[in-house]
Amino acid sequence: MSVAALTEQQQAAVQRRTVLVLSIGQVLGGIAFGATVSLGALLAADLSGNDALSGLATASVTLGAAVCAIPLAKLAARVGRRRALTLGNLFALVGIVVVILAAALRVFPLLLVGILMIGAGNAGNLQSRFAATDLAAPLHRGRDLSVVVWATTVGGVAGPLLLGPGEIVGGAIGMPPLTGSYVFSFVAQCAALLLYLVALRPDPLLVAQRIAKAAAEATGQVVADRPLAARYAIFAVAGSHVVMASVMAMTPVHLAHMAHAAHGGHASSEDVSLLVGVTIALHVGGMFALSPVFGILADRWGRLRVVLLGQLLLAGALGFAVFANASPAGVMIALVLLGLGWSAATVAGAALLTEASASDVRTARQGRSDSLMSLSAAAGAVLAGVILANFQYAGLGAAGFVIVIAIVVLSPLARRGMR
């Protein structure tokens, strides 16, 4: 039977298989992302000898995702999601090898190149959430998208928690300090690559394109395009990501300073790794663990309301960053709320962008959204290092309020655009 003639039951079965495969891939891909988030700033500060340059690590990973988001989206539109996601995995594998080599040689620019390539691989991980909507029924689009986002919880939380075991494994095989957990990342990326090659069949985007084309030819009807709402969705997702990435990027450095101060300036690397690992694991858990809840709320309440709920949670996180940053508990609460706010805004914003875009421009807009999200976060991470060096952690939290307020103030545009 032609894919254009799939029954509703057959299409639902393909969608369930697609969501399952994408979810497993996100578990595996999240391990490398979690390790890079935890270690990138510390490695950058160590190799450069300057805390102000530590933000370049997060800037590099987000820049890599920004550079590759649009090309990967164009590739997916031509040959399908499977090949695009596989290429992203290859980028990440090469990046992991380069990071380890840079740490061994203590070459700071080479470290940034490796982290940039891991970011390029993360562009594929970001694309997975849109792949979950290719064949999703409109009433369950937010739920299916959020399930794939939720699957990243396992890998994203495991990545930071593998810092301690990774150092033991790395030390046993002679790896440079702070790179041991990348052994686990490399194995996980290899498994994800094989998974997509073998199991992501039929390709969800190619099937969806053929179904849409057949429906248009049979009925003459196409999905309406709502560019104003789509532009707001892109802005809301990018802005929320900037707030999250900027604060998160500088948190390991802030926590390292706190640990050294608490131990009279002589905290061990194990103490720092434990504090950073637990805090980032809680943050990544906040980013992904409740995403199915936000997806269901987006389907029932509406996309815009959940985007605004995300801004409320981000505002709470920034409040803790400003007023409770002197205690590890305060920073942990801030990072959990930061992850929850990001999750709500990203899940609902991605669903809004998908349903506001006609099928012929949808994939291109998804790529532009990922690119802008990552590019703006890269710039934010660089500025975050400067802000932290000059205005402390509280100043970084205060700066994030500007973006949150802008997203709330411009929200009527989305409501008007969807009418």
Side-chain angles (χ1 to χ4, degrees):
M1 180 179 293
S2 169
V3 292
L6 287 174
T7 65
E8 289 186 7
Q9 292 78 9
Q10 290 170 326
Q11 184 174 330
V14 173
Q15 173 65 1
R16 286 194 296 271
R17 175 185 173 87
T18 298
V19 171
L20 176 61
V21 172
L22 292 172
S23 298
I24 297 173
Q26 286 295 90
V27 170
L28 298 170
I31 293 177
F33 172 72
T36 301
V37 167
S38 300
L39 294 172
L42 296 176
L43 279 169
D46 178 47
L47 297 187
S48 68
N50 187 346
D51 285 349
L53 297 180
S54 58
L56 291 179
T58 300
S60 296
V61 76
T62 51
L63 181 60
V67 169
C68 286
I70 293 177
L72 283 179
K74 290 182 178 179
L75 180 65
R78 290 199 310 270
V79 300
R81 300 286 190 187
R82 182 170 60 89
R83 295 183 183 178
L85 294 178
T86 300
L87 182 59
N89 285 128
L90 289 173
F91 283 140
L93 284 170
V94 175
I96 290 170
V97 174
V98 173
V99 165
I100 296 172
L101 180 63
L105 299 177
R106 299 197 61 80
V107 179
F108 178 60
L110 186 62
L111 173 72
L112 298 183
V113 172
I115 294 177
L116 187 144
M117 296 192 70
I118 293 175
N122 193 45
N125 288 340
L126 292 173
Q127 191 180 114
S128 293
R129 73 192 194 282
F130 288 123
T133 69
D134 290 334
L135 290 172
L139 291 178
H140 302 300
R141 183 173 287 134
R143 182 199 65 187
D144 289 356
L145 184 153
S146 66
V147 167
V148 174
V149 173
W150 173 85
T152 313
T153 306
V154 179
V157 172
L161 293 180
L162 288 173
L163 296 186
E167 285 301 293
I168 296 174
V169 172
I173 61 178
M175 293 182 65
L178 298 176
T179 64
S181 62
Y182 280 111
V183 173
F184 304 122
S185 300
F186 188 85
V187 174
Q189 287 293 330
C190 288
L193 187 149
L194 292 175
L195 174 72
Y196 290 139
L197 280 176
V198 174
L200 196 60
R201 299 171 184 269
D203 190 284
L205 181 56
L206 297 182
V207 173
Q209 289 173 342
R210 292 167 188 168
I211 291 175
K213 181 178 179 181
E217 291 174 350
T219 65
Q221 296 179 345
V222 296
V223 176
D225 190 47
R226 299 177 173 88
L228 185 61
R231 285 195 290 269
Y232 174 81
I234 292 173
F235 171 70
V237 170
S240 300
H241 191 67
V242 168
V243 173
M244 183 277 295
S246 300
V247 176
M248 179 189 64
M250 294 299 101
T251 297
V253 177
H254 177 65
L255 290 174
H257 290 164
M258 291 175 61
H260 286 299
H263 291 81
H266 299 289
S268 67
S269 60
E270 289 80 8
D271 291 331
V272 174
S273 294
L274 178 62
L275 180 59
V276 171
V278 170
T279 302
I280 297 299
L282 289 172
H283 167 68
V284 176
M287 289 175 67
F288 302 116
L290 294 185
S291 57
V293 175
F294 294 127
I296 293 171
L297 290 178
D299 288 335
R300 294 183 178 179
W301 291 0
R303 322 303 187 195
L304 183 58
R305 289 181 180 178
V306 179
V307 169
L308 295 178
L309 172 62
Q311 304 316 301
L312 178 62
L313 291 168
L314 289 176
L318 296 173
F320 273 94
V322 171
F323 299 109
N325 63 77
S327 70
V331 175
M332 288 180 183
I333 294 173
L335 267 288
V336 170
L337 290 175
L338 194 71
L340 291 172
W342 176 90
S343 181
T346 299
V347 168
L352 176 61
L353 173 61
T354 299
E355 67 184 20
S357 301
S359 57
D360 59 331
V361 297
R362 184 175 298 152
T363 305
R365 280 184 184 163
Q366 290 168 347
R368 286 199 294 272
S369 175
D370 282 346
S371 180
L372 178 62
M373 178 179 72
S374 299
L375 189 62
S376 55
V382 174
L383 291 175
V386 177
I387 293 173
L388 182 70
N390 292 278
F391 301 101
Q392 307 302 318
Y393 199 69
L396 185 59
F401 275 110
V402 177
I403 299 175
V404 170
I405 292 171
I407 294 173
V408 173
V409 169
L410 295 176
S411 61
L413 294 177
R415 187 175 293 108
R416 186 187 314 160
M418 291 301 290
R419 288 173 183 169

